Amino acid sequence: KNKEYEEKLSGYAENEEFNNLNDDEYDRHEKYRLYQLHFKRLAEDCQKLLDMFLHKVSLKKIAKELGIESSKYIKRKKYKCKEQLVRYIKADPDFKGEK
């Protein structure tokens, strides 16, 4: 069984695509993977709000789209959604960074 495991590992090590990733690229890829994974865990309204914010939609338009009258509420909601996403990512066992 150990031999089989070693063969599998050497197969991964010989994978050109894997070897061509430098540490920065690997870190970026891993961070993006964690972001995508945990973004999907957020409530639908949080996903929509953060997505619009990342696409530089104005707070006024975001509020209108979500059926909310207050831009101040949107700012608070955005902060809470972002904080939830950060908590999810930091709690992930694959996260490498400050906890």
Side-chain angles (χ1 to χ4, degrees):
K1 209 167 194 178
N2 253 353
K3 188 174 181 170
E4 188 178 312
Y5 177 73
E6 286 176 25
E7 285 174 11
K8 205 177 232 185
L9 278 181
S10 69
Y12 289 131
E14 291 169 7
N15 183 327
E16 254 185 73
E17 190 174 316
F18 183 76
N19 284 330
N20 286 336
L21 285 179
N22 65 37
D23 288 343
D24 288 342
E25 289 172 319
Y26 179 79
D27 287 346
R28 273 195 310 273
H29 175 74
E30 186 61 16
K31 285 177 183 177
Y32 184 71
R33 185 190 70 77
L34 287 173
Y35 169 80
Q36 287 292 310
L37 175 71
H38 295 294
F39 184 84
K40 292 175 185 172
R41 292 180 59 198
L42 294 172
E44 193 174 324
D45 61 333
C46 278
Q47 289 182 33
K48 192 170 188 177
L49 189 154
L50 291 176
D51 186 54
M52 287 189 286
F53 185 76
L54 289 171
H55 286 93
K56 309 230 185 282
V57 176
S58 72
L59 290 175
K60 195 173 186 177
K61 284 185 180 180
I62 293 172
K64 186 177 181 181
E65 180 73 27
L66 296 178
I68 297 166
E69 293 183 26
S70 169
S71 291
K72 283 185 181 182
Y73 175 79
I74 291 297
K75 279 184 178 178
R76 283 193 311 275
K77 179 78 172 161
K78 180 192 81 95
Y79 176 79
K80 288 182 178 187
C81 292
K82 183 179 164 190
E83 287 299 305
Q84 181 65 55
L85 179 58
V86 169
R87 278 193 300 276
Y88 284 157
I89 292 170
K90 286 186 174 183
D92 190 295
D94 289 336
F95 176 71
K96 294 178 178 99
E98 295 179 29
K99 287 202 177 193

